[in-house]
Amino acid sequence: MTLTVNEHNLHKSVYLVAIPLYTPAFYPVPDNMVSENAGNREKVVLAYSGGLDTSVAIKWLQDKYNLDVIAVAINVGQPPSSDDIVARALRNGAIKAEFVDAKKEFVEEYIWPSLKANAMYEDVYPLSTAIARPLIVKILVEIAQREGAKYIAHGCTAKGNDQVRFDVGIVSLDPSIGIIGPMREWVMTREEEIEYAQQNNIEIIVKKENPFSVDENLWGRSCECGVLEDAWIEPPEEAWGWTTNPKDAPDEPEYVEVEFEKGIPKALNGEKLDGVELIQKLDAIACKHGVGRIDHVEDRLVGIKSRETYECPAATVLTLAHRALEFLTLQKDVLEFKKIIEQRFSQIAYNGLWFGVLRESIDAFVDQTQEFVTGTVRVRLFKGNAMVVGRKSPYSLYEEGLATYAVGDEFDHKSATGFIYCWGLPNRTAAKAHKK
């Protein structure tokens, strides 16, 4: 059988990246995790959400490519499904289905490195969707290797960035695995997909049609399509799913204190928390005050300008606090150079090049800069705004004796004249030489 998918005639012994197999965390599911329909066909691992697209994709992959489907759902902090999607995948014909809880790994291996790099694509977007994709890819590849699957399938469309993140991520980890993109090959409307499901007895949960396309995880919520495609129209309130409208937020400000250790948040308001808990608790507080709304026209990798709205409450507060602590503890030249590195990191993550030497090298540089980024930052939340109002650190480079204009001034004022002479000397020399 010849498959019209992205196959690579490469020697596995040379190109296969040696990575440990992922151990999934199973949620309560039926005992028959492996379907009785399992056969001797080639296998495909399907990135499975339980939604309409991936539910009908199980049958489509079987019919179109004569493949046995292993459905893999990965939890990176999105809202839970209203039913047991693993059991439903089996009922819809998957030979095996798994639910992997990856929230802790998402925070420690993807969110925290991005936070330490103050990652903001085009200085606006905290990369909530973008940095979840490489983790999903990594797990899919590990399961495909474990199960002996020749292919991985995903539900990305031909116009988005995610197809690049999935495809490039997969070939970066294991170029011997073929890639199938049903939504690129099989362009159907929602109504046609529902009809296909009915004709093939596919069990689906048809939700009320939503004019928006939404993606959610621990680090943020993205929203596009519908009326948002007109860049002139203000996003309607229905486009926001997490945050309180700032005009309806509390009339009194709330203060939060975030404690960092080497650039990583360790405590919120004096309470030591693991990363998942800290983000969830801070999200709840910031959402209440309408903090974290973003309206942005961004440049997609495929060349399209796209209007998106984002809600990133915890990401907004933590990035703001982290930057403030860096300004307190890092020297000026380090801050200036790190800004360049931060922009490059953001582009790499957004463009689907997470699994590469450059990103790993940038991580090493960023980690070195975080050695003394330890301390506490106080942030004021009020009516959609977050503002740093206090910071302290045992490694602070701020010296009140040098900064003050009051009693206790330790600055050597006599040195200023000589400094200014040397600083302006190149301009003074050029002005004399070039004078017409």
Side-chain angles (χ1 to χ4, degrees):
M1 177 181 64
T2 302
L3 295 180
T4 56
V5 296
N6 183 19
E7 294 185 278
H8 301 270
N9 298 318
L10 300 173
H11 297 293
K12 196 170 184 178
S13 60
V14 177
Y15 292 95
L16 180 59
V17 177
I19 50 180
L21 294 181
Y22 193 88
T23 303
F26 293 107
Y27 274 48
V29 291
D31 293 333
N32 59 327
M33 288 298 299
V34 179
S35 169
E36 295 178 358
N37 298 324
N40 296 318
R41 297 182 292 187
E42 295 288 355
K43 300 173 186 175
V44 57
V45 172
L46 170 65
Y48 173 72
S49 69
L52 177 61
D53 290 346
T54 55
S55 292
V56 298
I58 295 174
K59 173 68 173 172
W60 184 83
L61 288 165
Q62 293 168 339
D63 291 348
K64 175 76 172 179
Y65 292 117
N66 192 33
L67 296 170
D68 280 336
V69 179
I70 299 170
V72 179
I74 300 168
N75 181 11
V76 287
Q78 65 270 34
S81 176
S82 59
D83 75 331
D84 188 341
I85 63 173
V86 172
R88 183 151 48 85
L90 293 173
R91 291 196 294 269
N92 283 335
I95 65 164
K96 190 172 183 179
E98 299 182 11
F99 190 102
V100 181
D101 185 357
K103 295 192 300 295
K104 186 174 187 293
E105 185 176 3
F106 182 39
V107 171
E108 295 179 354
E109 303 298 328
Y110 297 83
I111 291 179
W112 288 165
S114 299
L115 176 62
K116 288 188 285 187
N118 296 317
M120 289 276 188
Y121 182 64
E122 297 181 328
D123 295 323
V124 175
Y125 164 44
L127 296 166
S128 53
T129 297
I131 61 172
R133 298 316 188 214
L135 171 57
I136 293 170
V137 165
K138 173 177 171 286
I139 295 170
L140 293 173
V141 168
E142 289 169 347
I143 291 176
Q145 291 174 341
R146 186 191 72 203
E147 298 291 336
K150 288 186 65 176
Y151 307 100
I152 289 175
H154 59 71
C156 305
T157 68
K159 293 176 69 174
N161 298 307
D162 280 341
Q163 60 175 335
V164 179
R165 295 164 185 157
F166 272 82
D167 288 20
V168 174
I170 291 166
V171 301
S172 298
L173 294 178
D174 190 342
S176 71
I177 296 177
I179 301 166
I180 305 175
M183 296 303 108
R184 292 188 298 220
E185 300 181 37
W186 180 41
V187 182
M188 297 179 73
T189 66
R190 172 185 167 88
E191 290 72 25
E192 289 171 336
E193 284 187 286
I194 292 173
E195 183 179 352
Y196 177 86
Q198 292 171 342
Q199 291 173 349
N200 291 278
N201 296 317
I202 298 170
E203 183 182 340
I204 58 174
I205 296 178
V206 181
K207 301 177 182 178
K208 181 180 178 182
E209 189 167 3
N210 189 335
F212 305 113
S213 175
V214 175
D215 184 84
E216 297 173 295
N217 63 46
L218 267 176
W219 204 227
R221 176 184 187 271
S222 67
C223 181
E224 62 177 330
C225 301
V227 69
L228 297 176
E229 292 178 350
D230 186 336
W232 178 248
I233 294 178
E234 180 178 358
E237 198 57 31
E238 311 88 73
W240 309 107
W242 287 7
T243 52
T244 299
N245 189 320
K247 71 180 180 61
D248 299 322
D251 293 328
E252 295 294 328
E254 183 170 354
Y255 295 82
V256 294
E257 292 186 2
V258 184
E259 183 180 328
F260 292 86
E261 183 178 315
K262 295 188 176 182
I264 296 176
K266 294 292 187 179
L268 179 64
N269 294 331
E271 181 184 6
K272 296 286 184 181
L273 298 167
D274 68 35
V276 174
E277 279 187 299
L278 190 147
I279 290 171
Q280 289 173 334
K281 287 195 173 188
L282 183 54
D283 260 337
I285 297 170
C287 280
K288 180 176 66 175
H289 291 276
V291 170
R293 292 189 173 192
I294 300 166
D295 180 357
H296 182 44
V297 175
E298 69 189 48
D299 291 288
R300 286 186 177 177
L301 178 59
V302 295
I304 300 171
K305 280 191 180 288
S306 172
R307 199 275 189 90
E308 314 254 352
T309 63
Y310 297 101
E311 291 173 278
C312 303
T316 297
V317 175
L318 290 175
T319 303
L320 185 70
H322 180 258
R323 278 179 169 160
L325 189 57
E326 285 190 325
F327 277 114
L328 189 69
T329 58
L330 298 183
Q331 292 171 270
K332 180 182 178 182
D333 59 344
V334 176
L335 288 166
E336 290 176 345
F337 187 75
K338 184 171 182 286
K339 180 63 177 177
I340 300 171
I341 296 299
E342 290 171 358
Q343 292 175 339
R344 194 73 182 100
F345 179 100
S346 300
Q347 292 166 352
I348 289 170
Y350 186 88
N351 292 339
L353 299 174
W354 185 274
F355 300 109
V357 174
L358 181 54
R359 198 271 306 166
E360 293 169 354
S361 300
I362 288 175
D363 273 356
F365 168 80
V366 170
D367 282 343
Q368 182 64 39
T369 68
Q370 302 300 290
E371 181 68 22
F372 300 109
V373 184
T374 295
T376 303
V377 180
R378 187 167 65 250
V379 182
R380 179 180 183 265
L381 309 177
F382 185 59
K383 296 289 186 183
N385 294 309
M387 178 179 178
V388 172
V389 294
R391 69 285 277 165
K392 61 181 179 180
S393 168
Y395 306 110
S396 174
L397 300 182
Y398 176 83
E399 291 192 20
E400 190 173 348
L402 293 175
T404 185
Y405 288 91
V407 176
D409 186 354
E410 299 172 2
F411 184 75
D412 181 1
H413 291 255
K414 295 179 180 178
S415 65
T417 302
F419 165 74
I420 294 169
Y421 173 80
C422 294
W423 183 253
L425 190 56
N427 283 358
R428 180 196 298 264
T429 304
K432 289 180 179 179
H434 300 159
K435 186 176 180 180
K436 294 183 180 178

